[in-house]
């Protein structure tokens, strides 16, 4: 035990070890080949970093210019979509370039990249199998944005869900229904989409009319009621078309009216058309009722005058008969008086 301590703590041995260590350090410091290798490796790493930054900058500028050229004259919602697509593409390019840069830098430090790439591939494969729905949602969301299928503010229907698009993300889309419900739909489940905001809509109104009403008068009434509707309602684009009889039964017939309207304004246009026609029908009914009442009053007056004339005629007839009968009664009375004297 003591001998071992003496051997370890031998001053001469310690000095020799220190001298050898100093020689190795000095050799390492003065190794020109090593420093040349380090210098060239540093220069290559710096060049790799600069080239990567330049590539990212050039690609980002190209994406911005392309999207700016495509978005000229588009709506704000489309500009937002282009901004989303641009940000996504730039992020993808940045990630790929940085990944390649890191791999090249590690290769400069003599790292064996094969096990690293193999491990990354295995991990990526495992993540891909474990999150297939997430990957499907992201890919579908990217194509929804890139293909301009719908935009924020559009009214769409997907399956049983219908509403105004509030948000388009890479994973989900948020809809606000007309009754206030918010539907959050995974993009991977969006198969068929009906967009009501891409083109002008057609408002169609069927007006039931009693069979007793004349066709020509009804068509004229509806035509007069709809004059100037495009000025009263911002939803209607032009004067509606009165298509004529759509269906008919023994009690009524149906007149169909069609009007072009702005996107997402069909309900408003139909309400305006129905309101105008209803007011015109009410006015017509009021006029007809007033006319019927006036005719009834005039008929009653005529009947009353006829009765009065009839009574007057009867009175005159009785008076005339009375006048004609008075001389006869006087003659008869005179004869009776003469006979009594005899």
């Amino acid at each position: 035990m003591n001998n071992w301590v003496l051997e370890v703590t031998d001053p001469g041995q310690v000095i020799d070890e220190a001298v050898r260590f100093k020689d190795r350090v000095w050799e390492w410091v003065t190794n020109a080949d090593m420093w040349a290798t380090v210098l060239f490796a540093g220069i290559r790493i710096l060049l790799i970093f600069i080239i990567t930054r330049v590539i990212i900058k050039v690609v980002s500028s190209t994406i911005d210019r392309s999207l700016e050229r495509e978005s000229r004259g588009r709506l704000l919602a489309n500009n937002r979509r282009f901004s989303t697509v641009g940000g996504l593409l730039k992020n993808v390019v940045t990630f790929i370039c940085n990944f390649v840069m890191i791999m090249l830098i590690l290769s400069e430090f003599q790292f064996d990249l094969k096990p690293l790439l193999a491990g990354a591939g295995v991990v990526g494969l495992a993540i891909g199998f474990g999150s297939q729905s997430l990957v499907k949602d992201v890919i579908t969301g990217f194509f929804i944005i890139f293909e301009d299928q719908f935009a924020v503010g559009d009214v769409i229907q997907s399956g049983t869900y219908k509403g105004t698009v509030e948000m388009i993300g890479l994973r989900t889309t948020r809809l606000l229904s007309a009754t206030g419900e918010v539907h959050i739909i995974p993009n991977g489940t969006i198969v068929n989409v009906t967009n009501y905001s891409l083109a002008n809509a057609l408002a169609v109104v069927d007006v039931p009319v009693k069979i007793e009403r004349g066709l020509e008068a009804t068509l004229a009434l509806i035509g007069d009621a709809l004059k100037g509707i495009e000025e009263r309602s911002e939803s209607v684009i032009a004067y509606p078309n009165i298509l004529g009889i759509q269906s008919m039964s023994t009690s009524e017939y149906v007149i169909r009216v069609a009007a072009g309207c702005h996107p997402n304004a069909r309900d408003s246009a139909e309400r305006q058309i129905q309101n105008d026609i209803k007011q015109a029908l009410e006015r017509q009914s009021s006029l007809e009722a007033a006319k019927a009442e006036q005719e009834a009053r005039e008929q009653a007056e005529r009947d009353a005058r006829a009765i009065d004339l009839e009574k007057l005629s009867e009175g005159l007839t009785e008076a005339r008969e009375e006048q004609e009968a008075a001389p006869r009664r006087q003659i008869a009375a005179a004869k009776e008086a003469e006979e009594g004297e005899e």
Side-chain angles (χ1 to χ4, degrees):
M1 181 69 179
N2 294 334
N3 293 334
W4 180 80
V5 173
L6 289 175
E7 290 177 0
V8 173
T9 57
D10 186 6
Q13 186 177 358
V14 173
I15 293 172
D16 292 339
E17 290 292 334
V19 170
R20 285 196 296 271
F21 177 75
K22 187 179 76 170
D23 292 340
R24 287 196 299 271
V25 170
W26 179 254
E27 182 181 357
W28 180 78
V29 171
T30 58
N31 190 344
D33 295 335
M34 184 270 295
W35 285 114
T37 303
V38 171
L39 178 61
F40 287 120
I43 293 174
R44 286 194 297 268
I45 291 173
L46 182 61
L47 289 176
I48 291 171
F49 179 80
I50 294 174
I51 292 173
T52 302
R53 296 299 101 186
V54 170
I55 292 174
I56 294 174
K57 185 69 174 177
V58 171
V59 174
S60 298
S61 300
T62 304
I63 292 173
D64 290 337
R65 286 195 300 271
S66 299
L67 295 179
E68 181 180 0
R69 186 168 55 254
E70 291 292 333
S71 62
R72 288 175 184 172
R74 299 295 186 93
L75 298 176
L76 179 59
N78 290 330
N79 291 336
R80 291 177 179 174
R81 178 186 292 110
F82 284 128
S83 299
T84 303
V85 173
L88 177 63
L89 293 177
K90 287 188 284 188
N91 289 334
V92 171
V93 171
T94 301
F95 174 79
I96 295 175
C97 292
N98 287 332
F99 179 78
V100 174
M101 181 188 69
I102 292 173
M103 293 295 102
L104 293 176
I105 290 175
L106 290 178
S107 66
E108 291 295 330
F109 289 102
Q110 304 302 320
F111 278 92
D112 189 3
L113 300 181
K114 293 180 181 179
L116 183 61
L117 294 176
V122 172
V123 172
L125 185 62
I127 294 175
F129 278 114
S131 59
Q132 293 183 17
S133 60
L134 177 61
V135 174
K136 182 179 179 181
D137 293 340
V138 172
I139 293 175
T140 305
F142 172 79
F143 281 105
I144 287 174
I145 297 172
F146 188 76
E147 293 177 354
D148 196 13
Q149 297 180 9
F150 51 85
V152 175
D154 289 353
V155 177
I156 68 169
Q157 181 171 356
S158 176
T160 59
Y161 301 109
K162 181 179 179 180
T164 304
V165 180
E166 283 194 329
M167 184 273 294
I168 304 174
L170 286 178
R171 197 181 68 84
T172 60
T173 296
R174 187 167 65 233
L175 300 181
L176 177 63
S177 68
T179 54
E181 295 88 356
V182 177
H183 304 296
I184 300 176
I185 308 174
N187 292 331
T189 62
I190 299 177
V191 180
N192 299 317
V193 177
T194 303
N195 194 331
Y196 296 93
S197 302
L198 293 182
N200 292 332
L202 184 66
V204 179
V205 175
D206 291 334
V207 183
V209 183
K210 292 182 179 180
I211 198 68
E212 292 82 8
R213 287 185 175 273
L215 177 60
E216 295 298 330
T218 302
L219 294 178
L221 176 65
I222 294 175
D224 293 337
L226 297 179
K227 287 181 179 179
I229 189 174
E230 60 273 18
E231 299 176 357
R232 295 190 299 273
S233 176
E234 297 179 354
S235 303
V236 181
I237 298 175
Y239 181 79
N241 294 323
I242 304 175
L243 303 179
I245 297 178
Q246 179 66 21
S247 62
M248 186 170 58
S249 64
T250 57
S251 61
E252 66 179 15
Y253 57 92
V254 177
I255 302 294
R256 171 158 291 186
V257 180
C261 58
H262 293 290
N264 305 329
R266 176 184 300 168
D267 294 339
S268 176
E270 290 178 351
R271 283 193 293 268
Q272 184 65 46
I273 293 173
Q274 292 172 349
N275 182 64
D276 291 347
I277 295 176
K278 181 63 169 62
Q279 289 181 357
L281 291 175
E282 288 178 350
R283 289 193 298 269
Q284 183 66 19
S285 298
S286 299
L287 292 175
E288 292 176 354
K291 183 178 180 181
E293 184 179 356
Q294 180 67 23
E295 291 178 352
R297 189 183 303 112
E298 292 176 354
Q299 183 64 35
E301 292 177 355
R302 287 194 297 269
D303 293 341
R305 286 195 299 269
I307 293 173
D308 293 340
L309 290 174
E310 184 179 356
K311 289 181 179 180
L312 180 60
S313 177
E314 291 177 355
L316 292 174
T317 302
E318 292 176 356
R320 188 167 53 252
E321 291 177 351
E322 184 66 25
Q323 290 176 357
E324 292 176 353
R328 290 195 297 268
R329 284 195 300 270
Q330 291 177 357
I331 294 171
K335 288 181 178 181
E336 291 178 357
E338 290 177 357
E339 291 176 356
E341 292 177 356
E342 292 176 357

